[in-house]
Amino acid sequence: MLRSDRAHSRSLIADICLILALCAFASTSFGRDAPKTATPVDWVNTFIGTGGEGAEYGGTMPFVTTPFGMTNWTAQTRQNRISVSSYEYDDTYIQGFIGTHQPAIWMGDYGYVTLMPEMGDANYAPEARRLAFTHKDEISTPYYYAVTMGPDAAHKIFAEMTATDHAGYLRFVYPHDAKPSVLIEATRPGIEGFVSIDASRNEIVGYNPDRMDAHLGPFALKNFKGYFVVRFKQPMAAAKVYEGVLTWPDKKEVQGNNVGAIASFDTDTVDVQVGTSFISIDQARANLDAEMLGWNFDDVRDSLKTTWNKKLGIASIEGASDDQRRIFYSGLYHALLYPKLFSEHGRYYSAFDDRVHNGVSYTAYSIWDIFRAENSLLTIFAPERIDGMVQALLQDYVEGGWMPKWPNPSYTNIMIGTHADSLVAEAINKGFKGFDYQLAYKAVYKDAMTPPDGDTTRRWFDREPHTPYEARAGLTYAEKLGYIPADKILESASSTQEESYDDYAVAQVAKALDKTDDYNFFMKRSTNYRNLFNPARGFMQAKNADGTWASPDDGWTEGDQWVYLFAALHDVPGVVKLLGGPDAAAAKLDAHFNGGHNRHDNEPSHHYGYLYDFTGQPWKTQARVREIARDAYSNTTNGVLGNEDCGQMSAWYIFTAMGFYPMNPASGDYVIGSPLFTRVTLNLPNGKRFEMTAPRNSDRNVYIQSATLNGKPLETPVISYAQIEAGGTLNFVMGPKPSTWASHWQPQALP
């Protein structure tokens, strides 16, 4: 055979594999029509949020994983780190396929493992081993990823992968006679790891102790490791380990800096299964044995597709454009990734006491973000997980001393407040009972009443390394002054207001346990946000310890005086009263939006569109939320206005599409906006069905003329979680002009 003929033959193998995959997955990216038989997962565009400049874009990755899966699998187009994700849509090379635990672009990865198919001589460095690809040769869904990569026809490799909770299944197809091999990168330069070849099992095993966020918390975790077992279907023809740029042909294992292994094969197809664990190599193998029953790639893939369709299919929508449908189901996919499972078939490693325990655990709670809407969404779409998720926070409290702010997987001290209090209170107010209420109260009470170590000797800088757990920074001062002083503690104005909401949440837990005195105490303290209102300026403003006003620019967290004017989510009527009543508050909101102060790319602004409901002008809420949904979301790679933040950005869109939003998440109530579609049906996990109908809905008919709940007039812009879970129909009559519907609602401020 001529050389050109051999190259053509080699190219055909990869091309045929991709063509077959494309035929099976006709709807995987922008602009392609979904098949008539499309299921919910077929509408997911995993590339939404994967493209942008710097780090202030969606920061998402096209994960192949289960809902809440422990290990996520993606093509690696660049080495990730804090502020860099593994996959960026505009990249043109693939360096490997990574089993990652990085939950957000501003968080680090930990215990990851990377594989890369190669031909001929081994290349260990990412820049040397990378292979070119184009998006036309790529398929991406939540349950399956495939790509053809290579510099030319003679060097094309076809790769595909699917996954389970703790394991990945990868398959590589090489050109004929290509001398195929698979590289396993255990650790990167500067990281001490371990890798070993077990020829008797046809496995390569090892661990990676890297924890990129280790500098952010108080604990040095001596036992932390991300373990892996890489198992091959085809016999390894040869295998060797490497350390840095050196290979050790005579060694079967190596422990050192930048270690890995490479296995070579005599076959054109290589099937690889990778079990992962934070407990041990044996547990990684046990996870693999439990989740990968044999070597049927299609069965694993199809099972994962079924799993995603079951979850995504809780919601069905009518009256949506194709782009809206993709945004909706892609958002739901993003929301159902977090928090991440951290237990392994009944056991878990705790990154709070560095030990292994029995039970269920979760991590990757971006709590400052997700307490607003993402967690509330999970109470509807994944109620079977809520008890375990709250219990995991309580386990963190028992094992580490506090519930965390942003576990990844240990304390990181990122962001302000103790909003785990809100997650606990929301679960209790919504009737979840699968965790210890008494223990929960101990945890939230400590948050509210115990200052962190060194409270008055630190300013508590953002991402300050190696600090004690921050808890409520400045609580020592707040207990005396009624606010956190700006000349003592950073981010004081934001913290004072957000921790007022946290006090409200603690009060809800106290109420559930009939602790009346504590309930009254925390409800009273939840109005401390008012101590920062400057009536002369009509804004909240930081104060110094001596009671003088600080600069209006001081004391804020990712916002300013506009963003934080209505931060008291539990007492919006109280803020309205401070501003002089509904008309004055509505005028302030008009100035907020018309002046360009709304920052939907960050969470403190997420509730702003719904605030007009509290000012007697709900028609402005209806117009604003439609406007934000249109402008902040799109079916593009940059289709999330800001960082996705573990599902929070997407949760806002999903709630808005359904027509309501959790203004005060801990209360269990939702305020009404303007539904995006003519019908949304929730086939709830409890067996009930709840429908939102708006038959005359359109881009022009954005205003609610009237509403009924189960056939009875609904005159207030509020529904409850209990009403949703009971099943029924929420019907809206829509029109092109504002109406007076719900304009007479006058909720009362806290005393």
Side-chain angles (χ1 to χ4, degrees):
M1 184 182 291
L2 296 175
R3 180 177 298 178
S4 60
D5 293 333
R6 290 198 302 269
H8 180 66
S9 176
R10 292 173 181 178
S11 171
L12 277 176
I13 296 173
D15 288 343
I16 290 170
C17 290
L18 183 66
I19 290 169
L20 291 173
L22 285 170
C23 289
F25 302 92
S27 171
T28 57
S29 64
F30 318 100
R32 295 182 185 172
D33 293 332
K36 293 180 180 180
T37 57
T39 60
V41 75
D42 295 322
W43 289 102
V44 174
N45 178 359
T46 61
F47 294 126
I48 291 177
T50 62
E53 297 181 3
E56 296 305 328
Y57 67 104
T60 64
M61 289 170 270
F63 287 146
V64 175
T65 189
T66 58
F68 314 105
M70 186 181 86
T71 301
N72 306 142
W73 296 89
T74 183
Q76 176 184 305
T77 66
R78 54 180 65 184
Q79 279 201 338
N80 62 340
R81 63 179 188 273
I82 297 173
S83 79
V84 175
S85 297
S86 293
Y87 184 101
E88 212 287 336
Y89 190 82
D90 293 332
D91 291 340
T92 56
Y93 292 91
I94 289 175
Q95 303 173 346
F97 299 89
I98 186 171
T100 178
H101 308 100
Q102 183 181 22
I105 193 168
W106 281 110
M107 304 302 291
D109 205 345
Y110 53 92
Y112 47 92
V113 61
T114 305
L115 285 74
M116 183 63 181
E118 298 194 295
M119 294 184 291
D121 295 335
N123 293 299
Y124 305 108
E127 296 77 13
R129 71 187 188 225
R130 68 182 191 175
L131 295 175
F133 81 107
T134 64
H135 294 299
K136 69 180 180 62
D137 295 328
E138 185 181 37
I139 297 168
S140 182
T141 76
Y143 60 93
Y144 176 78
Y145 177 90
V147 66
T148 296
M149 52 190 177
D152 53 50
H155 296 89
K156 284 187 176 182
I157 299 175
F158 176 74
E160 57 185 343
M161 60 184 173
T162 187
T164 59
D165 280 344
H166 306 90
Y169 192 146
L170 299 88
R171 184 159 59 190
F172 305 124
V173 181
Y174 302 80
H176 186 60
D177 293 334
K179 296 181 180 179
S181 61
V182 176
L183 173 83
I184 297 95
E185 181 185 73
T187 57
R188 299 174 184 174
I191 305 299
E192 296 282 327
F194 170 77
V195 67
S196 175
I197 299 167
D198 187 342
S200 66
R201 295 177 184 266
N202 212 36
E203 294 176 349
I204 293 174
V205 305
Y207 62 73
N208 177 8
D210 190 22
R211 187 164 62 94
M212 296 178 185
D213 291 333
H215 63 293
L216 295 178
F219 296 153
L221 301 173
K222 296 180 180 180
N223 295 324
F224 174 83
K225 296 178 180 69
Y227 300 94
F228 61 84
V229 170
V230 178
R231 179 181 296 167
F232 299 102
K233 178 181 180 182
Q234 294 77 13
M236 293 185 287
K240 57 187 175 181
V241 297
Y242 71 84
E243 181 178 7
V245 297
L246 300 176
T247 59
W248 304 103
D250 298 329
K251 290 185 177 182
K252 294 301 180 184
E253 65 181 45
V254 62
Q255 183 171 358
N257 174 36
N258 187 21
V259 299
I262 187 161
S264 57
F265 300 86
D266 293 330
T267 57
D268 296 340
T269 299
V270 178
D271 289 72
V272 192
Q273 295 177 347
V274 188
T276 63
S277 173
F278 293 102
I279 295 174
S280 67
I281 288 174
D282 285 343
Q283 185 64 51
R285 184 177 290 113
N287 294 341
L288 193 54
D289 291 340
E291 298 175 17
M292 295 288 183
L293 304 179
W295 288 97
N296 194 316
F297 183 95
D298 292 353
D299 281 356
V300 177
R301 180 199 63 204
D302 294 348
S303 177
L304 183 54
K305 180 177 182 180
T306 298
T307 296
W308 273 111
N309 271 327
K310 183 177 180 180
K311 263 297 167 214
L312 298 173
I314 289 173
S316 63
I317 59 179
E318 299 175 22
S321 69
D322 281 0
D323 277 348
Q324 286 177 319
R325 193 176 293 271
R326 289 198 184 281
I327 295 167
F328 182 89
Y329 283 111
S330 302
L332 192 51
Y333 155 72
H334 286 142
L336 293 172
L337 294 175
Y338 306 103
K340 293 164 62 68
L341 192 66
F342 202 59
S343 50
E344 308 171 34
H345 301 284
R347 296 199 301 161
Y348 67 92
Y349 163 81
S350 170
F352 297 90
D353 68 0
D354 209 20
R355 299 171 59 189
V356 174
H357 302 264
N358 293 325
V360 174
S361 185
Y362 291 85
T363 190
Y365 302 73
S366 182
I367 297 181
W368 184 79
D369 304 299
I370 69 163
F371 88 90
R372 304 167 196 272
E374 156 75 359
N375 187 72
S376 186
L377 191 75
L378 298 185
T379 65
I380 296 173
F381 282 84
E384 75 282 356
R385 301 268 183 169
I386 298 300
D387 286 324
M389 289 175 176
V390 174
Q391 181 62 32
L393 294 172
L394 300 180
Q395 289 163 183
D396 297 344
Y397 160 71
V398 171
E399 294 152 10
W402 303 85
M403 289 193 296
K405 297 171 180 285
W406 217 130
N408 191 47
S410 189
Y411 296 118
T412 61
N413 278 350
I414 290 177
M415 307 313 296
I416 61 172
T418 56
H419 300 321
D421 305 335
S422 177
L423 272 58
V424 172
E426 182 175 7
I428 288 175
N429 275 342
K430 289 183 173 180
F432 291 92
K433 298 183 183 300
F435 55 91
D436 186 337
Y437 279 25
Q438 296 291 344
L439 180 61
Y441 189 64
K442 290 180 181 178
V444 301
Y445 188 87
K446 182 175 182 180
D447 282 347
M449 299 299 291
T450 304
D453 293 341
D455 191 26
T456 60
T457 63
R458 297 178 177 277
R459 293 299 304 274
W460 299 102
F461 291 90
D462 183 38
R463 293 180 180 263
E464 184 178 357
H466 306 300
T467 59
Y469 179 65
E470 185 175 331
R472 297 195 189 184
L475 179 60
T476 305
Y477 300 107
E479 288 178 322
K480 298 176 182 177
L481 301 173
Y483 61 90
I484 301 169
D487 54 341
K488 302 294 184 181
I489 303 293
L490 296 176
E491 303 176 284
S492 62
S494 294
S495 294
T496 296
Q497 295 190 78
E498 292 197 14
E499 288 164 15
S500 294
Y501 168 79
D502 290 337
D503 279 338
Y504 167 85
V506 175
Q508 305 310 300
V509 184
K511 182 179 180 181
L513 294 172
D514 295 323
K515 296 181 180 292
T516 304
D517 290 345
D518 285 1
Y519 169 78
N520 291 332
F521 171 81
F522 287 116
M523 286 300 291
K524 176 63 177 176
R525 208 172 76 171
S526 77
T527 64
N528 277 356
Y529 75 90
R530 298 172 185 172
N531 295 331
L532 296 188
F533 184 70
N534 185 343
R537 300 185 62 255
F539 285 99
M540 302 294 175
Q541 188 170 342
K543 278 183 177 180
N544 295 316
D546 63 3
T548 59
W549 294 110
S551 167
D553 297 326
D554 287 349
W556 306 114
T557 300
E558 300 185 10
D560 58 18
Q561 61 181 359
W562 286 96
V563 169
Y564 272 91
L565 180 55
F566 286 89
L569 305 178
H570 61 297
D571 191 25
V572 174
V575 180
V576 170
K577 185 176 180 180
L578 289 175
L579 290 171
D583 291 343
K588 202 75 166 185
L589 287 171
D590 290 343
H592 172 89
F593 284 101
N594 296 334
H597 300 292
N598 198 56
R599 294 293 308 274
H600 192 75
D601 59 341
N602 212 345
E603 280 71 19
S605 292
H606 278 194
H607 62 293
Y608 261 71
Y610 289 88
L611 288 169
Y612 286 106
D613 278 354
F614 295 83
T615 69
Q617 299 181 18
W619 62 88
K620 289 184 178 178
T621 277
Q622 295 153 29
R624 288 295 183 191
V625 298
R626 286 286 194 106
E627 179 183 84
I628 295 168
R630 181 195 67 212
D631 295 344
Y633 300 84
S634 64
N635 180 34
T636 67
T637 60
N638 204 15
V640 181
L641 188 61
N643 296 158
E644 172 61 28
D645 290 329
C646 295
Q648 171 58 30
M649 287 293 294
S650 290
W652 186 94
Y653 184 90
I654 295 162
F655 272 123
T656 296
M658 294 192 296
F660 50 88
Y661 184 81
M663 173 68 67
N664 174 2
S667 72
D669 289 337
Y670 300 87
V671 295
I672 289 174
S674 175
L676 300 186
F677 312 136
T678 57
R679 182 185 299 269
V680 178
T681 301
L682 297 179
N683 297 297
L684 298 167
N686 67 3
K688 302 294 181 64
R689 174 179 292 184
F690 189 77
E691 291 186 323
M692 289 70 67
T693 61
R696 294 172 54 194
N697 207 357
S698 68
D699 290 342
R700 184 167 177 264
N701 292 344
V702 304
Y703 298 104
I704 298 174
Q705 309 298 302
S706 63
T708 59
L709 180 62
N710 299 328
K712 297 180 179 180
L714 181 67
E715 304 294 347
T716 61
V718 179
I719 61 171
S720 71
Y721 178 78
Q723 289 171 323
I724 295 170
E725 290 297 300
T729 301
L730 175 62
N731 182 69
F732 299 105
V733 175
M734 308 299 292
K737 296 181 180 180
S739 77
T740 60
W741 175 80
S743 61
H744 302 296
W745 184 52
Q746 295 182 340
Q748 297 300 304
L750 295 177

